[in-house]
Amino acid sequence: MNEPDQLTGLLDAGVSTFMNSEQIEPTETELGARNLDIGFVGVPFDSTCLSRTGANQAPNEIRKVSCQTHPYNFEYDVRISDIYSLVDFGDVQTLPGNAEKTVHRAQTVVSRLINDGIAPVVAGGDHSISIANLKAVGEIYDNPGFIML
């Protein structure tokens, strides 16, 4: 039988994480000591849409597709993992039908990452999750930049 670490990089094997990165809990007490650069966070929420749009499925679908991405670019001879450490912090526990509590929970997670020096990459969900991200970044930076795809 294969050991769990031997499954990394195999398509459709094991639990999907963003770009096959390690998954850790954002509540871990020693995040700052781990020297992490980038943290992927899912917010599977679509309750502020007029109908169930399926936007809540986006974080898991992004993880599945990202597993097929190679971290090495031959044209530039660079491997992203040699420059940045990337982890998957899993999904924020959303509360369907309650945008206020969901936004608060997401803001708490994103704030924790930023305070520990980790650049958050947040995948939603519907557009309401942008509120959590802007609030979290706005707590620390006066004039933050924001990229929304």
Side-chain angles (χ1 to χ4, degrees), residues 41-46 55-56 59 90-92 94 102 106 122-126 129 133:
V41 178
V43 187
F45 186 74
D46 67 355
N56 60 319
D91 290 337
V92 170
T94 61
T102 296
V122 184
D126 64 33
I129 68 152
N133 302 320

Side-chain angles (χ1 to χ4, degrees), residues 101-116:
K101 284 188 179 179
T102 296
V103 165
H104 176 72
R105 290 175 179 178
Q107 180 182 349
T108 300
V109 171
V110 173
S111 293
R112 172 75 196 277
L113 269 58
I114 294 169
N115 285 324
D116 284 332

